[in-house]
Amino acid sequence: MQENNGRSTWGSRLGFILASAGSAVGLGAIWKFPYMAGSNGGSAFILPYIVLTVLIGFVLLFIEMSIGREARAGSGQAFGRLVNKRWNCVGLLSVLTGFLILAFYQVIGGWCLNYMFDACMGHGLITDTSKLGEYFGQFVSNGAMSITMQLSFLALTAGVLIFGVQKGIERVSKILMPLLFVMMVVLIVRGLMLDGAWKGVEFMFKFDASAFTSGSLLNALGFSFFSLSLASGAMMNYGSYLGDDVSMPRSVAWISFLAVMAALLGGLMIMPAVFAFGLDPSAGPGLTFVTMPAVFAQLPMGQLLAVIFYACLVVAALTSAISIMEMSVQYLIDRFGMSRTGSITWNTVLLVLLGIPCALSFGSMSDVLFFGKTFFDILDYMTSNIGMPIGGLAIAIVGGYLAWPAMRKQLHMNETVPAWLESFVKISIKFISPAVIVVIALAGLLG
Ligand code: PFF
C-alpha cells in the first residue's frame, strides 16, 4: 500500500488481491469451519455454505468492494456518500461488527502463537489420544497464559500496522500463504490414510435431508459472510484503496474461490482425523487445536511440520486481523480526524479491554453467561448471525436498488463482462440475496 493524500492505495493489482485474499483466508477456514461443521450436522452446514457463497457471498463481496471504491470511503462514510447521511448508521454497524470480531479473533490468534511456540519447544505431538482434550483444556483455562498470548498477537497486528503493511507482511504472506495450502494438502493426505477416516469425509459431504435445521442454515450463512470477511467494513475499506485502473470481478472471483477452497481443505484436514481418533465432532471451538497434535504425531518429521504449520497459521490469522484493524483505524481517522498512531493506540486499548473477557471465557469466566452463552460465544454469535446478515442486507439494498447504476459501472470498469454475468449479479443482488438473508436470518433467530 502507498499513502496518497492521507488515504492509502494499493501498489499493484496483485497487492490488492493478496491482501484481500489474506483477509478472507484465515482462522475461519482452519479453526471455525471444522467445528461449525462438526456442531451443525456436517453436510447440513457445508453444502448450504457452498451454495450460499456462490449464489450470494461472491456477489455481495463484489458489491461491498465496489461501494468502497465508488465512494472512496470506508463503511463509516461510504453509504452516506452514495445514498444519504442517514445510511451511515448501517455503515457504523459494519465497523462495529468488524471490531467485535477482532475482539475474539485475537484470542484464537493467541492460541495459534502458543501452539507454534509449544511446537518449537518440542511439545507439538501427542500420541496418546486420550490426552488431547486435556492438553488443550489446560492451556485455555490458564487465564494468564492465554491473555499473554492474545496480547502478543494483538501487539503483532498493531505493530504491522505501524511499520507498514507492504514491506513486511505482504512479502511474508506471499510465501507463507501458498505454503499453508501445501501443508494442508500434506496433512489431509496423511489424515485420510488413518483407519476410519472416510467416515469424516462422509460426514462432510453425504447429503442428509434430516440434518438440516433453520439453525444450521443461519450458521452456514453467517460463516459464508465470515469466511469472505463480508459486512464487517474490512473489504469495503480495501475496495476504497483500489485504483480505477484495476478490474474487480475477476479479483473477487479469485478471493471467493480461495476462501471456499481453504475452508474445504480445513474441514478435510480435521474431520477425518476427528473420526479416526474417535473424538467428538461437536466439541466446539477447541476442535482443530485438540485434533492437530495427534495428526502431527502420525507424520515423519511431525515436530518440524507442526512448527511450519502453526507459523503459517499465525500469518494467515495476522493478515485477517490486519484487515479488520486497518478498517477501524481508518474509521477513527476519517471520522474524528485522529492521527494514524493515535487511532492505532485507541483501537489497541479498546481491543485489550474487550479481548480479556473473551480469553477468560474458556477459563475463569466460563460460567459467566449472557443468554446462555459465554462472552466469547456471544460476540461470535452476534457478529456472524446478526451483524453480518443485517450489514449484508444493507449492502444488497444499496447496491441493488439505491446505487445500481454505479455498481454496473464498477462491474464493467476495465473488463469485458459477459451479459450472463451482469444478469446474474443483478438478479442475485436485487432479489436472491435480500430474500435469502431475510428468510434464513428470521427462521434461524426465531426458530
Ligand atoms: N475471513 C476471516 C477468516 O475467515 O478468518 C475472518 C474475517 C476477517 C472476518 C476480516 C471479517 C473481517 F472483516
Side-chain angles (χ1 to χ4, degrees), residues 237-262:
N237 192 43
Y238 274 6
S240 78
Y241 296 163
L242 187 64
D244 281 342
D245 52 339
V246 175
S247 91
M248 193 125 52
R250 210 178 286 262
S251 315
V252 171
W254 265 110
I255 298 162
S256 314
F257 173 75
L258 287 174
V260 173
M261 281 310 290

Side-chain angles (χ1 to χ4, degrees), residues 22 52-53 58 110 165 219 330 339 361 438 447:
L52 288 169
T53 305
F58 156 74
V165 175
N219 283 328
Q330 186 72 49
S339 69
S361 294
V438 169

Side-chain angles (χ1 to χ4, degrees), residues 247-300:
S247 91
M248 193 125 52
R250 210 178 286 262
S251 315
V252 171
W254 265 110
I255 298 162
S256 314
F257 173 75
L258 287 174
V260 173
M261 281 310 290
L264 293 181
L265 291 179
L268 282 171
M269 189 173 80
I270 302 299
M271 215 43 88
V274 165
F275 278 78
F277 296 133
L279 302 169
D280 174 11
S282 61
L287 191 66
T288 293
F289 293 89
V290 167
T291 315
M292 288 314 291
V295 180
F296 288 120
Q298 305 284 330
L299 286 164

Side-chain angles (χ1 to χ4, degrees), residues 48-65:
Y49 159 66
I50 298 175
V51 173
L52 288 169
T53 305
V54 174
L55 270 189
I56 67 178
F58 156 74
V59 175
L60 280 173
L61 181 57
F62 166 74
I63 296 289
E64 172 163 357
M65 290 187 143

Side-chain angles (χ1 to χ4, degrees), residues 39 55 80 103 123 152-153 216 222 229 249 253 266 376 380 398 408 426-427 439:
S39 318
L55 270 189
H123 307 308
S152 312
F153 180 80
S216 71
S229 308
F376 180 102
D380 186 1
V398 170
R408 198 172 168 273
K426 191 168 167 183
I427 294 171
V439 170

Side-chain angles (χ1 to χ4, degrees), residues 22-29 98 101 105 223 225-235 316 320-321 323-324 327 388:
S23 170
V25 177
L27 294 172
I101 288 175
Y105 204 81
F223 181 74
F225 283 17
F226 188 89
S227 76
L228 293 178
S229 308
L230 269 172
S232 19
M235 292 305 207
S320 301
S323 72
I324 306 180
M327 172 282 295
M388 285 179 160

Side-chain angles (χ1 to χ4, degrees), residues 179-382:
L179 187 59
L180 178 65
F181 275 86
V182 174
M183 292 286 300
M184 284 206 263
V185 174
V186 172
L187 293 164
I188 290 169
V189 172
R190 182 63 189 96
L192 287 177
M193 282 155 55
L194 296 167
D195 266 351
W198 283 97
K199 283 216 198 77
V201 180
E202 245 174 48
F203 177 71
M204 284 179 69
F205 295 111
K206 195 163 166 208
F207 185 75
D208 171 10
S210 68
F212 282 84
T213 64
S214 54
S216 71
L217 279 180
L218 176 59
N219 283 328
L221 180 76
F223 181 74
S224 170
F225 283 17
F226 188 89
S227 76
L228 293 178
S229 308
L230 269 172
S232 19
M235 292 305 207
M236 196 170 284
N237 192 43
Y238 274 6
S240 78
Y241 296 163
L242 187 64
D244 281 342
D245 52 339
V246 175
S247 91
M248 193 125 52
R250 210 178 286 262
S251 315
V252 171
W254 265 110
I255 298 162
S256 314
F257 173 75
L258 287 174
V260 173
M261 281 310 290
L264 293 181
L265 291 179
L268 282 171
M269 189 173 80
I270 302 299
M271 215 43 88
V274 165
F275 278 78
F277 296 133
L279 302 169
D280 174 11
S282 61
L287 191 66
T288 293
F289 293 89
V290 167
T291 315
M292 288 314 291
V295 180
F296 288 120
Q298 305 284 330
L299 286 164
M301 294 190 301
Q303 196 69 49
L304 176 68
L305 292 179
V307 175
I308 300 176
F309 175 79
Y310 291 121
C312 294
L313 200 51
V314 167
V315 172
L318 257 182
T319 50
S320 301
I322 287 166
S323 72
I324 306 180
M325 201 157 160
E326 172 69 27
M327 172 282 295
S328 53
V329 164
Q330 186 72 49
Y331 175 74
L332 292 187
I333 296 175
D334 290 345
R335 178 75 180 74
F336 300 107
M338 276 188 194
S339 69
R340 192 168 164 85
T341 321
S343 177
I344 293 177
T345 311
W346 267 105
N347 271 283
T348 309
V349 170
L350 292 174
L351 284 165
V352 169
L353 294 179
L354 276 172
I356 290 175
C358 286
L360 294 179
S361 294
F362 297 88
S364 57
M365 281 179 65
S366 61
D367 45 8
V368 181
L369 302 181
F370 309 84
F371 303 101
K373 292 183 187 302
T374 61
F375 193 72
F376 180 102
D377 286 340
I378 198 100
L379 288 193
D380 186 1
Y381 187 86
M382 272 179 10

